[in-house]
Amino acid sequence: MPRYDAVVVGGGHNGLVAALTLALHGARVALVEARDQLGGLSSDGLSLGVRYPRVAYALGLFPEGLARFLGVNLGAYTVLAEPSWVVVDASSGETIFRWWTSFDALMQEFVERGLPQSEARAFVSLLDSWRRCSGEVIFSVRPPSLEEASEVLSRCGGEQLGSVFRKRFEKGLGQLLPRDLWGLVTYPGYESEPGAASLLHIWNGGVWRQIPGGWAPLLLDLEEKARRSGVDIFKGLGPAGIMVKGERVKGVRIGKRVFEADRVIYSGSIVALPEALGDSKDVLGSEVLREIDRISRTSLVADRLNIFTSCKPEPFYRAGGRPSLVEVWGRGYWFEAAYPTLHPEGRDSLSRRHVVALTGLFGGADPYEILNAAGVSCVDRVESIDKHVLAMEFLNSSGNPNHVPLNDGRILDRRPFEGWSDYTTPVEGLYHGSASSHPGGQVSGVPGHNAAVRLLVDAGVSLGALLQKSSLKSYMHSK
């Protein structure tokens, strides 16, 4: 095998973005993927004649600037309903809230839900400032501390933005909304976390695009661009072993194949890194290994079900012929529902079935209550994406689609572990760039891109040259 400047382990969307970023800057790159399908958690399934997004089901956090740099038109593969998503009450079916893409319409929605106009304007303006300034925090080759990020945001978007980013949610951002609307901008259990943990989920302003045609068209576009840029892509080889000698990476081995390189980006779940390192895993340190073991034994953060039905689903909310993403708040449970096959682009004329993607915390709710709340009247098949599936098929033994939770302080310069925040590891030449890395989960491509930029900077490429070529505004804390 030829010698490479870098090998990217893992062909999820972050791995593809990392490989393409490196190649666009002239590096000779190999990308190796254990499965015979690229995409990782953002890949498709095929069942009962229906192609559908299997785990990730929406796209919102992929920055337009990054997409332009990669040469990808996100609008060609996504649809945006208006409103983008709605919240409904499970028991009554009444609409609790509609999240509009227009900030004027969103402000009016808050007013209609009881917020004084001045407070509604202040809250929506704060979200707009966060959307505008978030790039100062998320694009970083050395992610900032909470205090550093707060200072940057205060300069960019005003003192209040920096304050709510730093303070506990319940003492900062939560004070700007009635408690019964907290669920719009945070998750259960995040109330005592810094506001940053909630805001890092919505740097897009809370607007989500749906992927009715599945992930395949976007992934094929990224794969084609990577190949055209010189990336050698290897699929279906099985799990990769990262070769280490004297605490320095030497490449990747898969069976009898050896990919020699002095730099490797690992884009899989960080909890699977010890297995990839094999006998060299002790170089990570006992404290990190204990923490990885603890994370890997945590339960699945959210339940994930794909419901196949020959009865046309009837979601609570539909506008302009397109279903919005629907978030259902029930007594003791909540979930989000996506309806890819109700969009014209997601409808396969050869199949008479639909798929409804449900993600949430179902608790002990009656399954028929869940189905009724999702607008499903008959069921042909149910696919559960549980911890076992994530571990066996996607090498994600934590059972968490975001790899590592965004709570317990695992944000910014403490993600995934203290001392690892600049995308490096204790192994010289080994980088991490996945949902386990800053800025976190969801389909954004940012961790893979940032890891690639970190590698290029360490290889001697000037940050100024990187910025000029990428057209992105900044990479904060570069040294």
Side-chain angles (χ1 to χ4, degrees):
M1 298 294 293
R3 185 172 184 83
Y4 292 95
D5 296 320
V7 177
V8 177
V9 176
H13 76 278
N14 274 306
L16 278 166
V17 169
L20 183 51
T21 298
L22 291 170
L24 289 173
H25 288 94
R28 186 172 190 182
V29 185
L31 184 149
V32 295
E33 165 57 39
R35 303 167 70 220
D36 58 8
Q37 179 183 14
L38 296 178
L41 297 180
S42 53
S43 57
D44 295 341
L46 181 64
S47 180
L48 303 181
V50 181
R51 183 174 293 280
Y52 62 100
R54 192 147 178 241
V55 184
Y57 56 91
L59 184 68
L61 296 185
F62 208 111
E64 289 290 344
L66 177 56
R68 285 193 299 271
F69 164 65
L70 299 172
V72 173
N73 177 13
L74 297 178
Y77 309 112
T78 60
V79 297
L80 182 60
E82 188 66 274
S84 170
W85 54 282
V86 300
V87 180
V88 298
D89 181 86
S91 58
S92 66
E94 294 182 358
T95 300
I96 296 174
F97 198 88
R98 299 168 295 179
W99 197 280
W100 302 92
T101 61
S102 160
F103 272 53
D104 286 339
L106 182 60
M107 182 185 71
Q108 185 58 36
E109 182 76 16
F110 276 110
V111 170
E112 292 178 7
R113 303 303 166 186
L115 241 65
Q117 187 162 4
S118 60
E119 294 181 17
R121 181 180 298 278
F123 184 76
V124 172
S125 295
L126 183 75
L127 289 181
D128 193 34
S129 294
W130 167 236
R131 179 188 57 80
R132 177 172 51 84
C133 297
S134 59
E136 301 284 346
V137 172
I138 66 172
F139 287 111
S140 174
V141 293
R142 186 185 72 79
S145 67
L146 185 61
E147 292 72 22
E148 289 171 331
S150 178
E151 291 176 7
V152 168
L153 293 173
S154 293
R155 290 195 297 269
C156 176
E159 189 63 36
Q160 187 180 39
L161 177 60
S163 175
V164 300
F165 191 83
R166 182 182 66 255
K167 288 183 178 179
R168 283 167 38 184
F169 178 90
E170 60 192 1
K171 298 295 185 181
L173 196 60
Q175 293 294 306
L176 306 179
L177 285 178
R179 193 179 184 91
D180 61 353
L181 293 182
W182 280 9
L184 296 175
V185 291
T186 195
Y187 289 99
Y190 277 55
E191 298 87 353
S192 60
E193 299 285 338
S198 298
L199 289 173
L200 284 169
H201 285 95
I202 55 169
W203 74 64
N204 57 346
V207 174
W208 298 94
R209 291 178 173 271
Q210 297 186 62
I211 42 172
W215 292 103
L218 173 58
L219 294 170
L220 287 172
D221 190 4
L222 283 170
E223 179 180 2
E224 180 184 358
K225 285 180 169 56
R227 290 187 186 276
R228 284 206 312 251
S229 299
V231 178
D232 291 337
I233 298 178
F234 302 87
K235 295 183 281 187
L237 299 183
I242 299 172
M243 300 187 302
V244 176
K245 184 176 180 181
E247 298 189 1
R248 176 163 184 84
V249 76
K250 290 299 181 181
V252 171
R253 182 188 299 275
I254 307 177
K256 294 183 178 180
R257 294 197 183 195
V258 173
F259 301 82
E260 293 185 353
D262 290 332
R263 291 181 171 86
V264 171
I265 294 179
Y266 179 77
S267 70
S269 171
I270 207 72
V271 299
L273 181 56
E275 185 175 352
L277 287 169
D279 293 339
S280 300
K281 67 180 181 181
D282 289 343
V283 73
L284 300 179
S286 58
E287 186 176 341
V288 166
L289 289 173
R290 282 195 299 271
E291 183 63 12
I292 287 176
D293 180 64
R294 190 180 74 81
I295 294 171
S296 69
R297 289 185 281 103
T298 60
S299 59
L300 186 65
V301 169
D303 301 300
R304 180 71 171 85
L305 302 174
N306 293 310
I307 311 295
F308 299 86
T309 172
S310 51
C311 307
K312 188 175 182 179
E314 295 294 338
F316 276 137
Y317 196 94
R318 203 166 178 173
R322 293 189 184 279
S324 303
L325 289 168
V326 178
E327 186 168 316
V328 177
W329 292 358
R331 185 168 297 178
Y333 68 88
W334 70 271
F335 66 85
E336 297 167 348
Y339 302 86
T341 51
L342 287 183
H343 292 273
E345 301 89 335
R347 184 66 173 152
D348 184 349
S349 60
L350 299 179
S351 174
R352 297 187 178 184
R353 290 184 174 87
H354 287 273
V355 64
V356 179
L358 305 182
T359 304
L361 298 173
F362 301 134
D366 187 319
Y368 291 101
E369 183 179 352
I370 296 292
L371 293 173
N372 180 65
V376 178
S377 57
C378 68
V379 175
D380 298 333
R381 177 176 177 253
V382 176
E383 178 189 36
S384 174
I385 307 295
D386 58 15
K387 187 172 183 177
H388 176 76
V389 172
L390 291 172
M392 297 301 296
E393 293 191 36
F394 299 99
L395 305 180
N396 182 351
S397 57
S398 73
N400 189 324
N402 291 330
H403 296 191
V404 176
L406 277 165
N407 57 5
D408 290 338
R410 296 188 188 95
I411 57 174
L412 302 166
D413 67 332
R414 301 176 67 85
R415 186 169 185 85
F417 313 113
E418 191 170 2
W420 288 43
S421 63
D422 59 354
Y423 303 97
T424 63
T425 71
V427 180
E428 187 178 354
L430 177 60
Y431 301 80
H432 60 91
S434 69
S436 308
S437 314
H438 172 75
Q442 310 290 350
V443 182
S444 74
V446 175
H449 176 74
N450 286 356
V453 173
R454 173 81 267 172
L455 184 155
L456 290 166
V457 169
D458 290 347
V461 180
S462 76
L463 203 57
L466 292 171
L467 285 171
Q468 185 176 12
K469 190 163 188 175
S470 72
S471 78
L472 296 170
K473 185 168 63 172
S474 67
Y475 293 104
M476 70 175 296
H477 299 282
S478 60
K479 295 182 180 179

